[in-house]
PDB file of all heavy atoms in Angstrom:
ATOM      1  N   VAL A 237     100.342 143.750-127.444  1.00 98.00           N
ATOM      2  CA  VAL A 237     100.771 143.638-128.813  1.00 98.00           C
ATOM      3  C   VAL A 237     100.417 144.985-129.483  1.00 98.00           C
ATOM      4  O   VAL A 237      99.309 145.464-129.411  1.00 98.00           O
ATOM      5  CB  VAL A 237      99.972 142.515-129.613  1.00 98.00           C
ATOM      6  CG1 VAL A 237     100.569 142.304-130.926  1.00 98.00           C
ATOM      7  CG2 VAL A 237      99.971 141.179-128.731  1.00 98.00           C
ATOM      8  N   VAL A 238     101.421 145.616-129.992  1.00 97.00           N
ATOM      9  CA  VAL A 238     101.251 146.970-130.654  1.00 97.00           C
ATOM     10  C   VAL A 238     101.613 146.932-132.065  1.00 97.00           C
ATOM     11  O   VAL A 238     102.226 145.908-132.581  1.00 97.00           O
ATOM     12  CB  VAL A 238     102.014 148.058-129.862  1.00 97.00           C
ATOM     13  CG1 VAL A 238     101.498 148.169-128.431  1.00 97.00           C
ATOM     14  CG2 VAL A 238     103.542 147.759-129.749  1.00 97.00           C
ATOM     15  N   SER A 239     101.504 148.100-132.665  1.00 96.00           N
ATOM     16  CA  SER A 239     101.614 148.096-134.208  1.00 96.00           C
ATOM     17  C   SER A 239     103.068 147.829-134.683  1.00 96.00           C
ATOM     18  O   SER A 239     103.242 147.238-135.772  1.00 96.00           O
ATOM     19  CB  SER A 239     101.118 149.396-134.728  1.00 96.00           C
ATOM     20  OG  SER A 239     101.989 150.418-134.281  1.00 96.00           O
ATOM     21  N   LYS A 240     104.078 148.208-133.876  1.00 95.00           N
ATOM     22  CA  LYS A 240     105.464 147.946-134.241  1.00 95.00           C
ATOM     23  C   LYS A 240     105.831 146.442-134.360  1.00 95.00           C
ATOM     24  O   LYS A 240     106.852 146.099-134.829  1.00 95.00           O
ATOM     25  CB  LYS A 240     106.393 148.729-133.387  1.00 95.00           C
ATOM     26  CG  LYS A 240     106.548 148.126-131.919  1.00 95.00           C
ATOM     27  CD  LYS A 240     107.693 148.758-131.226  1.00 95.00           C
ATOM     28  CE  LYS A 240     107.688 148.194-129.779  1.00 95.00           C
ATOM     29  NZ  LYS A 240     108.853 148.636-129.007  1.00 95.00           N
ATOM     30  N   HIS A 241     105.069 145.542-133.641  1.00 96.00           N
ATOM     31  CA  HIS A 241     105.443 144.220-133.570  1.00 96.00           C
ATOM     32  C   HIS A 241     105.302 143.534-134.978  1.00 96.00           C
ATOM     33  O   HIS A 241     104.254 143.530-135.578  1.00 96.00           O
ATOM     34  CB  HIS A 241     104.610 143.432-132.602  1.00 96.00           C
ATOM     35  CG  HIS A 241     105.029 143.827-131.105  1.00 96.00           C
ATOM     36  ND1 HIS A 241     103.972 144.186-130.219  1.00 96.00           N
ATOM     37  CD2 HIS A 241     106.156 143.933-130.622  1.00 96.00           C
ATOM     38  CE1 HIS A 241     104.701 144.528-129.116  1.00 96.00           C
ATOM     39  NE2 HIS A 241     105.966 144.344-129.217  1.00 96.00           N
ATOM     40  N   THR A 242     106.419 142.750-135.327  1.00 96.00           N
ATOM     41  CA  THR A 242     106.390 141.924-136.500  1.00 96.00           C
ATOM     42  C   THR A 242     105.848 140.606-136.120  1.00 96.00           C
ATOM     43  O   THR A 242     105.707 140.283-134.998  1.00 96.00           O
ATOM     44  CB  THR A 242     107.795 141.800-137.034  1.00 96.00           C
ATOM     45  OG1 THR A 242     108.596 141.205-136.141  1.00 96.00           O
ATOM     46  CG2 THR A 242     108.416 143.207-137.391  1.00 96.00           C
ATOM     47  N   ILE A 243     105.726 139.810-137.176  1.00 97.00           N
ATOM     48  CA  ILE A 243     105.253 138.425-136.862  1.00 97.00           C
ATOM     49  C   ILE A 243     106.269 137.596-136.089  1.00 97.00           C
ATOM     50  O   ILE A 243     105.973 136.753-135.310  1.00 97.00           O
ATOM     51  CB  ILE A 243     104.766 137.657-138.153  1.00 97.00           C
ATOM     52  CG1 ILE A 243     103.720 136.519-137.841  1.00 97.00           C
ATOM     53  CG2 ILE A 243     105.849 137.313-139.095  1.00 97.00           C
ATOM     54  CD1 ILE A 243     102.364 136.895-137.421  1.00 97.00           C
ATOM     55  N   LYS A 244     107.516 137.995-136.411  1.00 97.00           N
ATOM     56  CA  LYS A 244     108.653 137.345-135.600  1.00 97.00           C
ATOM     57  C   LYS A 244     108.613 137.690-134.112  1.00 97.00           C
ATOM     58  O   LYS A 244     108.775 136.888-133.237  1.00 97.00           O
ATOM     59  CB  LYS A 244     109.941 137.810-136.237  1.00 97.00           C
ATOM     60  CG  LYS A 244     111.168 137.035-135.883  1.00 97.00           C
ATOM     61  CD  LYS A 244     111.142 135.722-136.799  1.00 97.00           C
ATOM     62  CE  LYS A 244     112.000 134.662-136.037  1.00 97.00           C
ATOM     63  NZ  LYS A 244     111.587 133.304-136.298  1.00 97.00           N
ATOM     64  N   ASP A 245     108.277 138.966-133.825  1.00 96.00           N
ATOM     65  CA  ASP A 245     108.063 139.408-132.442  1.00 96.00           C
ATOM     66  C   ASP A 245     106.971 138.662-131.801  1.00 96.00           C
ATOM     67  O   ASP A 245     107.015 138.219-130.619  1.00 96.00           O
ATOM     68  CB  ASP A 245     107.777 140.899-132.373  1.00 96.00           C
ATOM     69  CG  ASP A 245     108.807 141.830-132.857  1.00 96.00           C
ATOM     70  OD1 ASP A 245     109.994 141.475-132.749  1.00 96.00           O
ATOM     71  OD2 ASP A 245     108.516 142.860-133.443  1.00 96.00           O
ATOM     72  N   PHE A 246     105.961 138.511-132.515  1.00 98.00           N
ATOM     73  CA  PHE A 246     104.693 137.796-132.098  1.00 98.00           C
ATOM     74  C   PHE A 246     105.000 136.519-131.751  1.00 98.00           C
ATOM     75  O   PHE A 246     104.545 135.843-130.660  1.00 98.00           O
ATOM     76  CB  PHE A 246     103.605 137.884-133.172  1.00 98.00           C
ATOM     77  CG  PHE A 246     102.283 137.284-132.805  1.00 98.00           C
ATOM     78  CD1 PHE A 246     101.378 137.983-132.022  1.00 98.00           C
ATOM     79  CD2 PHE A 246     101.976 136.024-133.259  1.00 98.00           C
ATOM     80  CE1 PHE A 246     100.176 137.345-131.636  1.00 98.00           C
ATOM     81  CE2 PHE A 246     100.742 135.422-132.933  1.00 98.00           C
ATOM     82  CZ  PHE A 246      99.862 136.068-132.176  1.00 98.00           C
ATOM     83  N   GLU A 247     105.796 135.731-132.591  1.00 97.00           N
ATOM     84  CA  GLU A 247     106.167 134.467-132.287  1.00 97.00           C
ATOM     85  C   GLU A 247     107.052 134.315-131.021  1.00 97.00           C
ATOM     86  O   GLU A 247     106.779 133.385-130.279  1.00 97.00           O
ATOM     87  CB  GLU A 247     107.090 133.998-133.584  1.00 97.00           C
ATOM     88  CG  GLU A 247     107.495 132.584-133.532  1.00 97.00           C
ATOM     89  CD  GLU A 247     108.265 132.156-134.732  1.00 97.00           C
ATOM     90  OE1 GLU A 247     108.287 132.826-135.822  1.00 97.00           O
ATOM     91  OE2 GLU A 247     109.055 131.111-134.700  1.00 97.00           O
ATOM     92  N   ARG A 248     107.811 135.256-130.764  1.00 96.00           N
ATOM     93  CA  ARG A 248     108.658 135.239-129.521  1.00 96.00           C
ATOM     94  C   ARG A 248     107.825 135.367-128.303  1.00 96.00           C
ATOM     95  O   ARG A 248     108.211 134.952-127.249  1.00 96.00           O
ATOM     96  CB  ARG A 248     109.738 136.430-129.630  1.00 96.00           C
ATOM     97  CG  ARG A 248     110.982 135.874-130.338  1.00 96.00           C
ATOM     98  CD  ARG A 248     112.181 136.905-130.149  1.00 96.00           C
ATOM     99  NE  ARG A 248     111.893 138.131-130.852  1.00 96.00           N
ATOM    100  CZ  ARG A 248     112.375 138.337-132.145  1.00 96.00           C
ATOM    101  NH1 ARG A 248     113.126 137.455-132.713  1.00 96.00           N
ATOM    102  NH2 ARG A 248     112.216 139.452-132.814  1.00 96.00           N
ATOM    103  N   MET A 249     106.729 136.122-128.453  1.00 97.00           N
ATOM    104  CA  MET A 249     105.812 136.246-127.295  1.00 97.00           C
ATOM    105  C   MET A 249     105.102 134.965-126.972  1.00 97.00           C
ATOM    106  O   MET A 249     105.155 134.497-125.796  1.00 97.00           O
ATOM    107  CB  MET A 249     104.681 137.332-127.563  1.00 97.00           C
ATOM    108  CG  MET A 249     105.162 138.641-127.784  1.00 97.00           C
ATOM    109  SD  MET A 249     103.658 139.769-128.183  1.00 97.00           S
ATOM    110  CE  MET A 249     104.464 140.925-129.402  1.00 97.00           C
ATOM    111  N   VAL A 250     104.480 134.253-128.015  1.00 98.00           N
ATOM    112  CA  VAL A 250     103.817 133.071-127.711  1.00 98.00           C
ATOM    113  C   VAL A 250     104.631 131.843-127.445  1.00 98.00           C
ATOM    114  O   VAL A 250     104.193 130.962-126.736  1.00 98.00           O
ATOM    115  CB  VAL A 250     102.769 132.813-128.805  1.00 98.00           C
ATOM    116  CG1 VAL A 250     101.618 133.839-128.814  1.00 98.00           C
ATOM    117  CG2 VAL A 250     103.335 132.630-130.122  1.00 98.00           C
ATOM    118  N   ASP A 251     105.818 131.787-127.990  1.00 97.00           N
ATOM    119  CA  ASP A 251     106.596 130.580-127.801  1.00 97.00           C
ATOM    120  C   ASP A 251     107.480 130.622-126.555  1.00 97.00           C
ATOM    121  O   ASP A 251     108.252 129.689-126.252  1.00 97.00           O
ATOM    122  CB  ASP A 251     107.428 130.205-129.059  1.00 97.00           C
ATOM    123  CG  ASP A 251     108.607 131.040-129.330  1.00 97.00           C
ATOM    124  OD1 ASP A 251     108.895 131.937-128.448  1.00 97.00           O
ATOM    125  OD2 ASP A 251     109.265 130.887-130.336  1.00 97.00           O
ATOM    126  N   GLY A 252     107.414 131.711-125.866  1.00 95.00           N
ATOM    127  CA  GLY A 252     108.084 131.877-124.609  1.00 95.00           C
ATOM    128  C   GLY A 252     109.501 132.374-124.716  1.00 95.00           C
ATOM    129  O   GLY A 252     110.236 132.618-123.675  1.00 95.00           O
TER     130      GLY A 252
END
Side-chain angles (χ1 to χ4, degrees):
V237 189
V238 296
S239 64
K240 69 168 180 175
H241 288 131
T242 63
I243 200 76
K244 199 79 204 150
D245 297 328
F246 182 79
E247 185 178 341
R248 276 193 285 268
M249 294 176 216
V250 294
D251 75 4

